[in-house]
């Protein structure tokens, strides 16, 4: 004990007071860097010096290991592990069942109130001792509680009077990897896939465990390993052995593994003449395949399916419905407790209906016809992960089908991994949108957490932005989006500001002023991107194919993949008329929202051109004409990035050198690209508006032909 105090004092005296140098970002928000605040260190030493551990499951082992590693890293203390409840400990972490002492110290926690994943963290007095307790009814809850305590320490939050009770609001909190078996990642901008199928199952990269730790620390409890544009080969034994090896690493961190199921697999790898979901042989094939999968992975989570969407096979190829397809797979999985996440991202160029309306039209009639273990996974907006979209009208409309939210963490349409765009405000905006499905207060998050219609199954998925880059996400601030997704999946009502604060303190700095500056930048960054890419409700005007950079002129090929389909600019004005006189898209929303959106004077201006085609001289609330407002928004977006770049330069020496320099260079790229977006879009739209740029808008650097002529051959992500 004495030796520990001496070491501790030495560490305090020798602790560096300058920021660490050369952080390559690998450790994410789990840096566990040495705390330099001496008063806080004293508090840690008083309260967290010895941990009572009890129970030896792999999940509890992972929890204890993390607790000790984290505390030792942050405080420099050597943590005592005490194995007997009667010993001299200050922290206890365990389940109420396996550690009766915990139950006796927490008499108000009644059985069933926390569940497998919920936990309490509480400071209690026992005689003269002040104890910190982490307790759950399940091992995973203990793990989450441990990560919560580590977060508090990492943020240097007070530790003396803790009274925390947390339970996840959503049951399935999943990452969706769009990773291919060849190691590429569709719409991935941070290197190659994390999964090395060539070496699996024999070589287990240490990254797999660190990936699991990072996810567990933010409450993510499932991962879909493969691309929605699926490859049936992953269902063959050679790959299933690899899936099993990954699942073994994930399991102690409470993470289940899922796969995408290619609907034509029975014909492709099973040798059957058909993949018709009502064919007896096909039904048997899937049943056997699922049984085989569970012999490899006993806790396999289930299938994510993209069917009859963008050329993928599906039940409609055989004249069957989405429900026929989903239910057939669900029946095969049901005996093992697996689920089907059936994607609603369907649209057909041959259907002469506004693309934004097609998924609603397709799925609403099938509400109530899915098996209990099927969820409909719906993108946040009705088109495709644009910088801003209204929420998808299926949220609230499907009363008898559990709806799973799909966000895109990888920034396919928001500057790839090059732009600093914090997505929490986007997640928050969508989750808090009121659907009015059961009157005011029927927010999207209440659909997702099941409280609106009393759904038993609840879920939220994020298309991952992780890859083989050393810092996992390409841009350092991409880590914040992974972090935000997990935290908001656990608690959809969490604010973007809270999430930003946590991430900044855990990743970058504890200096208040620096923190406030970075937070301000993060919280405004999504709006900045909307402004320099698609202001006032514009959407889908990016370059075709790779989607990098502007392409408002794209007018060739499949119409619903062009830009002109969406912006509809002409000499009369701009915007997509989705009013009752137009495509009638507004009518898919509940009353009174339909009416609010239908009228340009009540429609939120940030969605104006999503719902309305308006004349160039339409007068905006600011008093500007629509044309002037559009130009000024583009300029505002580019100016915001210039401000971020200047602000960042003030941080030299305030944060880690490597982090500083990485972001500094990225912001220079982002600023150039923001100007590129502004110039290209404004020059193009000017060919219709025939109006000059208003005062305050910087003249474009090149002419329109220059921007139209830019060609890029090797953009990442395709
Ligand atoms: C689009 C992507 C495409 C995906 C598709 C999907 O461009 O790569 O396959 O979404 O979600 O945004 O299925």
């Amino acid at each position: 004990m004495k030796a520990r105090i001496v070491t501790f004092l030495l560490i305090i005296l020798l602790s560096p007071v300058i920021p660490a140098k050369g952080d390559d970002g690998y450790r994410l928000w789990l840096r566990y860097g040495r705390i330099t605040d001496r008063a806080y260190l004293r508090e840690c030493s008083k309260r967290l010096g010895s941990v009572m551990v009890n129970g030896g499951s792999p999940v509890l082992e992972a929890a204890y290991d993390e607790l000790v590693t984290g505390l030792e890293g942050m405080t420099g203390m050597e943590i005592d592990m005490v194995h007997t409840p009667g010993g001299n400990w200050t922290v206890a972490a365990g389940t109420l069942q396996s550690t009766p002492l915990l139950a006796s110290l927490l008499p108000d926690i009644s059985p069933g109130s926390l569940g497998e994943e919920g936990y309490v963290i509480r400071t209690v007095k026992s005689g003269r001792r002040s104890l910190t307790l982490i307790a759950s009814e399940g091992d995973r809850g203990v793990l989450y509680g441990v990560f919560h305590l580590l977060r508090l320490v990492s943020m240097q939050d007070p530790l003396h009077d803790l009274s925390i009770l947390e339970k996840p609001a959503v049951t399935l909190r999943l990452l969706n990897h769009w990773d291919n078996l060849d190691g590429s990642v569709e719409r991935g901008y941070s290197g190659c896939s994390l999964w090395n199928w060539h070496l699996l199952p024999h070589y287990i990269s240490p990254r797999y465990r660190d990936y699991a730790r990072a996810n567990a620390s933010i409450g993510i409890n499932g991962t879909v390993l493969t691309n929605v544009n699926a490859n049936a080969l992953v269902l063959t034994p050679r790959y299933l052995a690899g899936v099993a090896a990954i699942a073994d690493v994930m399991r102690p961190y409470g993470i289940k593994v899922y796969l995408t199921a290619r609907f034509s697999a029975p014909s492709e790898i099973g040798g059957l003449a058909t993949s018709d979901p009502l064919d007896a042989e096909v039904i048997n094939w899937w049943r056997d395949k699922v049984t085989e999968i569970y012999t490899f992975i006993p806790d396999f989570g289930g299938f994510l399916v993209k069917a009859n969407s963008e050329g993928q096979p599906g039940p409609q190829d055989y004249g069957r419905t989405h429900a026929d397809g989903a239910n057939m797979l669900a029946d095969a999985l049901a005996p093992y407790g697996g689920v089907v996440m059936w994607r609603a991202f369907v649209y057909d160029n041959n259907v002469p209906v506004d693309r934004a309306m097609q998924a609603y039209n397709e799925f609403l009639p099938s509400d109530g016809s899915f098996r209990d273990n099927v969820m409909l996974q719906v993108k946040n907006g009705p088109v495709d992960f644009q910088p801003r979209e209204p929420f998808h009208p299926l949220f609230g409309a499907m009363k008898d089908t559990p709806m799973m939210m799909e966000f895109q963490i990888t920034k396919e349409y928001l500057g790839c991994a090059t732009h600093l765009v914090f997505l929490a405000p986007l997640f928050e905006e969508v989750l808090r949108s009121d659907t009015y499905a059961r009157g005011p207060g029927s927010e999207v998050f209440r659909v997702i957490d099941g409280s609106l219609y009393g759904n038993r199954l609840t879920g939220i998925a994020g298309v991952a932005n992780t890859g083989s880059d050393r810092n996992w996400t390409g841009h350092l601030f991409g880590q914040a989006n992974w972090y935000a997704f997990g935290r908001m999946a656990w608690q959809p009502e969490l604010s973007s500001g809270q999430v930003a604060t946590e991430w900044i303190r855990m990743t970058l700095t504890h200096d208040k002023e620096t923190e406030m500056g970075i937070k301000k930048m993060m919280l405004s960054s999504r709006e900045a991107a909307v402004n320099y890419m698609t202001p006032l409700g514009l959407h889908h005007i990016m370059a075709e194919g790779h989607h990098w950079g502007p392409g408002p002129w794209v007018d060739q090929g499949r119409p619903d993949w062009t830009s002109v389909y969406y912006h509809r600019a002409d000499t009369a004005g701009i915007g997509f008329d989705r009013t009752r006189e137009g495509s009638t898209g507004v009518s898919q929303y509940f009353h009174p929202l339909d009416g609010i959106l239908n009228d340009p004077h009540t429609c939120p201006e940030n969605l104006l051109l999503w719902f309305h085609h308006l004349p160039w001289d339409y007068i905006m609330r600011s008093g500007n004409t629509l044309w002037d407002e559009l130009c000024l928004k583009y300029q505002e977006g580019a100016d915001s990035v210039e401000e971020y770049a200047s602000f960042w330069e003030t941080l030299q020496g305030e944060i880690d050198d490597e982090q500083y320099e990485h972001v500094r260079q990225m912001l220079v790229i982002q600023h150039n690209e923001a100007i590129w977006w502004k110039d290209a879009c404004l020059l193009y739209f000017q060919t219709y508006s025939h109006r000059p740029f208003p005062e305050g808008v910087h003249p474009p650097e090149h002419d329109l032909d220059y921007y139209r002529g830019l060609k890029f051959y090797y953009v990442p992500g395709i």
Side-chain angles (χ1 to χ4, degrees), residues 178 186-187 229 306 310 343 345 379 384 412-413:
W178 286 0
E186 182 154 341
R187 313 306 179 185
N229 295 318
K306 171 175 178 177
E310 299 186 329
R343 293 178 89 225
F345 181 63
K379 289 189 180 185
D384 194 359
E412 177 180 358
Y413 301 101

Side-chain angles (χ1 to χ4, degrees), residues 332-409:
L333 288 158
Y336 307 95
V339 298
V340 172
M341 296 161 290
W342 194 266
R343 293 178 89 225
F345 181 63
V346 299
Y347 60 100
D348 184 348
N349 189 36
N350 298 312
V351 175
V353 172
D354 173 5
R355 170 174 162 186
M357 299 171 67
Q358 292 188 24
Y360 178 101
N361 292 345
E362 175 91 43
F363 281 96
L364 198 62
S366 57
D367 190 19
S369 55
F370 293 96
R371 298 281 191 270
D372 285 352
N373 57 336
V374 176
M375 304 192 73
L376 198 61
Q377 182 166 310
V378 184
K379 289 189 180 185
N380 59 270
V383 170
D384 194 359
F385 296 139
Q386 293 301 293
R388 171 167 279 118
E389 298 193 28
F391 68 88
H392 201 300
L394 275 172
F395 293 118
M398 301 279 281
K399 298 184 170 65
D400 296 314
T401 308
M403 303 290 279
M404 189 156 175
M405 170 66 75
E406 180 176 312
F407 283 126
Q408 193 181 44
I409 313 172

Side-chain angles (χ1 to χ4, degrees), residues 96-97 103 106-116 136-137 167:
L96 294 166
Q97 302 88 313
L106 298 163
D108 57 313
I109 305 294
S110 50
S113 59
L114 294 174
E116 283 287 308
S136 172
E137 293 179 76
K167 282 199 284 190

Side-chain angles (χ1 to χ4, degrees), residues 191-387:
C192 300
S193 172
L194 292 171
W195 324 125
N196 191 331
W197 296 107
H198 189 61
L199 297 182
L200 280 163
H202 307 294
Y203 178 74
I204 307 296
S205 161
R207 275 210 159 200
Y208 301 163
R209 179 170 170 267
D210 288 331
Y211 165 89
R213 289 175 51 237
N215 280 322
S217 77
I218 49 177
I220 288 172
N221 63 3
T223 178
V224 184
L225 300 179
T226 45
N227 192 352
V228 285
N229 295 318
N231 186 332
L233 285 177
V234 78
L235 303 175
T236 59
R238 183 206 173 308
Y239 284 97
L240 289 176
V243 175
I246 296 175
D248 288 345
V249 183
M250 300 298 137
R251 198 167 293 115
Y253 292 92
I255 297 168
K256 278 192 182 182
V257 160
Y258 300 72
L259 292 174
T260 46
R262 184 159 166 88
F263 206 76
S264 49
S267 344
E268 281 184 40
I269 56 167
L272 301 192
T274 178
S275 294
D276 179 347
L278 300 193
D279 180 279
E281 276 192 86
V282 171
I283 294 171
N284 279 334
W285 186 88
W286 279 111
R287 216 176 266 158
D288 292 347
K289 181 50 72 184
V290 166
T291 304
E292 184 188 4
I293 293 174
Y294 278 91
T295 61
F296 278 94
I297 311 131
D299 55 352
F300 178 66
F303 292 135
L304 169 64
V305 189
K306 171 175 178 177
N308 293 118
S309 159
E310 299 186 329
Q312 293 299 306
Q316 292 177 336
D317 302 348
Y318 310 94
R320 313 300 183 191
T321 65
H322 282 284
D324 291 334
N327 291 343
M328 181 271 293
L329 292 174
D331 288 342
L333 288 158
Y336 307 95
V339 298
V340 172
M341 296 161 290
W342 194 266
R343 293 178 89 225
F345 181 63
V346 299
Y347 60 100
D348 184 348
N349 189 36
N350 298 312
V351 175
V353 172
D354 173 5
R355 170 174 162 186
M357 299 171 67
Q358 292 188 24
Y360 178 101
N361 292 345
E362 175 91 43
F363 281 96
L364 198 62
S366 57
D367 190 19
S369 55
F370 293 96
R371 298 281 191 270
D372 285 352
N373 57 336
V374 176
M375 304 192 73
L376 198 61
Q377 182 166 310
V378 184
K379 289 189 180 185
N380 59 270
V383 170
D384 194 359
F385 296 139
Q386 293 301 293

Side-chain angles (χ1 to χ4, degrees), residues 43 52 59-60 108 132 164 207 233 237 324 361 375 384 386 399 424 442 449 475 490 515 546 552 555 599 606 671 674:
E43 179 77 356
M52 198 266 283
V59 175
L60 286 178
D108 57 313
T132 304
I164 294 163
R207 275 210 159 200
L233 285 177
D324 291 334
N361 292 345
M375 304 192 73
D384 194 359
Q386 293 301 293
K399 298 184 170 65
S442 307
D449 71 18
H475 197 302
W490 176 276
E515 176 192 315
H546 53 66
D555 60 359
D599 180 347
N606 61 17
H671 185 217

